[in-house]
Amino acid sequence: MIDWSQMKTAEQIAEEERRARVPAEISRAQGRAILGSMKLTPQVEAYFASITDEEEAMWVDLAWNHTTTWRRYESPFLTRAAQALGLTDQQLDEMFIAAAQIVI
């Protein structure tokens, strides 16, 4: 008997495959290194400087300066920052893949 509740759409399968190949997290050092190598650090810092909300600025400081890891799928802040930089999900995925290869 077929359990139809276990059926997945093509989109769900594609999302699972994407998540399987993209690291769920990278170290902050790897993240900052990949941004630097892509010459995106000035744009990131300009985005941070444009934030006027004190609470959001606090989250920026924590993420940029004090966390040990950056999470690809569970970070609303990372998603907002990537959007502000004009990065697509595919570009962000590729950055995480490349960053995970960096050994510091």
Side-chain angles (χ1 to χ4, degrees), residues 14-87:
E15 178 65 14
E16 287 177 0
E17 289 173 353
R18 179 174 73 96
R19 286 183 179 235
R21 73 177 180 82
V22 177
E25 66 181 34
I26 56 175
S27 72
R28 176 173 44 100
Q30 289 171 314
R32 290 182 75 157
I34 197 67
L35 288 168
S37 72
M38 296 179 72
K39 311 235 183 296
L40 289 173
T41 302
Q43 292 95 312
V44 170
E45 291 174 342
Y47 165 66
F48 293 166
S50 75
I51 296 172
T52 58
D53 180 84
E54 286 184 31
E55 185 172 341
E56 189 169 354
M58 175 197 67
W59 290 113
V60 165
D61 180 59
L62 287 171
W64 190 244
N65 296 310
H66 305 288
T67 60
T68 56
T69 60
W70 291 353
R71 295 185 179 189
R72 170 62 183 97
Y73 302 109
E74 300 164 358
S75 173
F77 166 73
L78 181 65
T79 301
R80 284 192 308 276
Q83 289 171 345
L85 294 172
L87 298 173

Side-chain angles (χ1 to χ4, degrees), residues 2-10 12-13:
I2 297 175
D3 182 356
W4 294 103
S5 68
Q6 299 299 316
M7 298 294 291
K8 296 179 182 177
T9 66
Q12 289 170 319
I13 293 169

